[in-house]
Amino acid sequence: MLKLHYLRGYAFSARQVHSQIAIIGGGTAGLNVAAQLIADGHAIPQQIRIFEPMKMHTYQPGWTMVGGGLYDINKTLKPMEKVLPKNVIVSDSPVIKINPEENQIQTFDGENYTYDQLVVATGIRTDFDQIKGITKAQQYLEEPNSPVASIYHYKYASKMNRLVDEFEGGKLVFTEPQMPIKCGGAPQKIVYLSHDRLRKRGIKSDIHFYKNSALIFGVPKYAEILTDVCQRKQINCHFKQKLVEVQDHVAIFEDQDTKELKSVTFDLLHLVPPQVPAKFIAASGLGDAAGFCNVHPNTLQHVKYRNIWSLGDCSSLPTSKTAAAVMAQTPILVKNLIRTWKQGLEPIPEYQGNGWVNLLGYTSCPIFTSQSTLLLAEFKYNSELDETFPIFQSNESRLMFYLKKDFFPFAYWYFMVKGLWGGRDGFRFFKGA
Ligand SMILES: Cc1cc2nc3c(=O)[nH]c(=O)nc-3n(C[C@H](O)[C@H](O)[C@H](O)COP(=O)(O)OP(=O)(O)OC[C@H]3O[C@@H](n4cnc5c(N)ncnc54)[C@H](O)[C@@H]3O)c2cc1C
């Protein structure tokens, strides 16, 4: 069918291309869904179209390790064509609109696509614009010699590593914005990693951690352990403090109770930008009040449209935004999508694993507490504990450190991309396991 399209004032024609399964986003979630649909024999690659403008797939959990001096940045980036399943169809223009009533997707280049089933997996976007003087802050981040860095971007994660390596003493300021952000624990992991590196080099440092929230961590058991960690390391925590502006060697915070502004000088600033879902989700009528793709928390099906699904950071699922959560969500989404599409059944109203573990809202957050220890936080909806190795999770552990540093990246690059990694469920060597 030929249609007229309008983009930047030009009218042109484009064909409507149909896909049985359309996936928006080729990040951790989109890639994992495509890989499992194929690995489990539910779809052949040619039935799947992935919309993804980026040329590189990023293993973002590795960026904390890069900033913390434990990992090479090159190990966190791979060309998209090397990780996406072979013969899957890729559209590299970003999606700008969905018309869910017509099962239609529009991309920035003016093309129109239709679908039978749609998976929205666009992640969450870092939004530096919410910080006043942002042009300056970005200038500071870009400028190699300015003492401002962030593990929330691969370039600035490498910069963080170098700045800490070269640090000769003084005041370090770390920030954490309002939630939700991807990996809520990452802003504090980099505090502990940096502290340990400076301690080992015998550098005197005065470390301050400014958090937007009122708690060190949302799960009481881990909050207690992390409070001890901060006290032991003499890390000064400041709660309910929102970073609003960055100037030359000065960070300005707004107290969330009194709204008073406070200027804090720094010799090194680690910045975590606020984060927001893609605007087109809400503009297409698919968002919840905060603009996240509004899906049922236990089936991952859209609350209004039966053939729309979402998972990962862009979804409304009330759990923390991590790759670990994606690993737990993917089999649920795949199973329910196939049930409704191919078998005409209702989705299973339970975000429940297909192995021996219950994945109800499962997420994990591996928190580095030094360059050789880690606290593995595992919990589910309502911050309820859900631990796999309780014996190693009651304190900082060396074993969990190596699990996170070496095993998780290995499982991601060699098994997740093939649809053979089930996160806490382990390897998925049997179809539909
Ligand atoms: C510093 C840091 C540390 C982290 N640490 C951990 C950790 O220790 N453990 C853990 O489990 N998780 C961690 N995470 C979180 C984890 O990386 C994310 O939760 C995970 O990547 C989410 O997957 P996703 O597919 O939802 O989003 P992403 O992986 O971000 O992928 C989204 C994709 O959608 C694409 N996209 C966006 N908009 C459009 C559009 N309009 N059209 C088409 N495509 C679009 C993007 O280009 C991107 O490729 C960390 C993240 C960061 C940044």
Side-chain angles (χ1 to χ4, degrees), residues 28-49:
T28 301
L31 168 58
N32 201 30
V33 168
Q36 286 194 20
L37 279 166
I38 296 165
D40 293 2
H42 297 308
I44 57 166
Q46 291 81 356
Q47 290 176 305
I48 302 174
R49 176 179 296 274

Side-chain angles (χ1 to χ4, degrees), residues 141-305:
L141 284 164
E142 284 290 334
E143 167 57 51
N145 294 322
S146 90
V148 183
S150 178
I151 56 168
Y152 276 76
H153 191 288
Y154 69 90
K155 271 199 286 184
Y156 312 141
S158 297
K159 183 179 177 188
M160 183 65 189
N161 177 33
R162 183 175 53 76
L163 289 179
V164 175
D165 244 359
E166 293 169 357
F167 197 70
E168 290 301 337
K171 184 169 172 185
L172 296 96
V173 171
F174 294 81
T175 73
E176 183 185 292
Q178 63 272 32
M179 296 292 152
I181 60 169
K182 34 189 161 192
C183 193
Q188 66 183 290
K189 298 178 197 179
I190 192 64
V191 180
Y192 307 137
L193 285 169
S194 305
H195 168 275
D196 202 37
R197 294 173 74 186
L198 296 172
R199 180 192 63 81
K200 280 183 185 155
R201 283 175 47 220
I203 301 286
K204 279 212 165 145
S205 57
D206 176 23
I207 299 186
H208 294 260
F209 182 28
Y210 285 81
K211 282 174 69 80
N212 200 92
S213 79
L215 300 166
I216 189 80
F217 200 79
V219 182
K221 171 181 170 175
Y222 305 124
E224 211 173 294
I225 298 170
L226 293 167
T227 302
D228 280 352
V229 168
C230 288
Q231 278 167 2
R232 197 176 71 230
K233 294 178 188 286
Q234 295 183 322
I235 291 163
N236 303 286
C237 294
H238 308 265
F239 297 100
K240 296 193 183 176
Q241 301 295 319
K242 178 180 177 181
L243 178 70
V244 289
E245 187 170 353
V246 181
Q247 298 173 353
D248 188 16
H249 286 80
V250 178
I252 300 172
F253 293 91
E254 181 191 69
D255 185 296
Q256 293 305 281
D257 285 333
T258 64
K259 299 295 169 201
E260 268 172 37
L261 296 180
K262 180 165 72 181
S263 294
V264 177
T265 57
F266 62 80
D267 298 300
L268 197 166
L269 173 68
H270 180 268
L271 185 82
V272 180
Q275 293 161 38
V276 290
K279 282 195 182 136
F280 79 84
I281 295 175
S284 303
L286 298 177
D288 67 2
F292 292 96
C293 193
N294 201 357
V295 290
H296 189 288
N298 294 344
T299 65
L300 284 61
Q301 185 181 45
H302 194 270
V303 293
K304 186 166 172 201
Y305 300 100

Side-chain angles (χ1 to χ4, degrees), residues 27-29 52-54 60 64 95 122-123 183 189 313 322-324 404:
T28 301
E52 174 56 68
M54 302 302 285
Q60 299 166 39
T64 313
V95 169
T122 46
C183 193
K189 298 178 197 179
D313 295 357
T322 65
K404 157 75 182 164

Side-chain angles (χ1 to χ4, degrees), residues 23-31 51-54 56-64 80 91 93-96 121-124 151-153 182-183 186 189 275 278 280 311-315 320-326 363-366 368 404 408 412:
I23 301 177
I24 310 180
T28 301
L31 168 58
F51 296 85
E52 174 56 68
M54 302 302 285
M56 283 284 175
H57 182 92
T58 55
Y59 178 62
Q60 299 166 39
W63 294 348
T64 313
M80 212 44 101
S91 294
S93 182
V95 169
I96 55 168
T122 46
I124 188 169
I151 56 168
Y152 276 76
H153 191 288
K182 34 189 161 192
C183 193
K189 298 178 197 179
Q275 293 161 38
F280 79 84
L311 77 172
D313 295 357
C314 73
S315 73
S320 75
K321 299 189 180 300
T322 65
V326 170
T363 189
S364 91
C365 188
F368 289 105
K404 157 75 182 164
F408 288 168
Y412 189 93

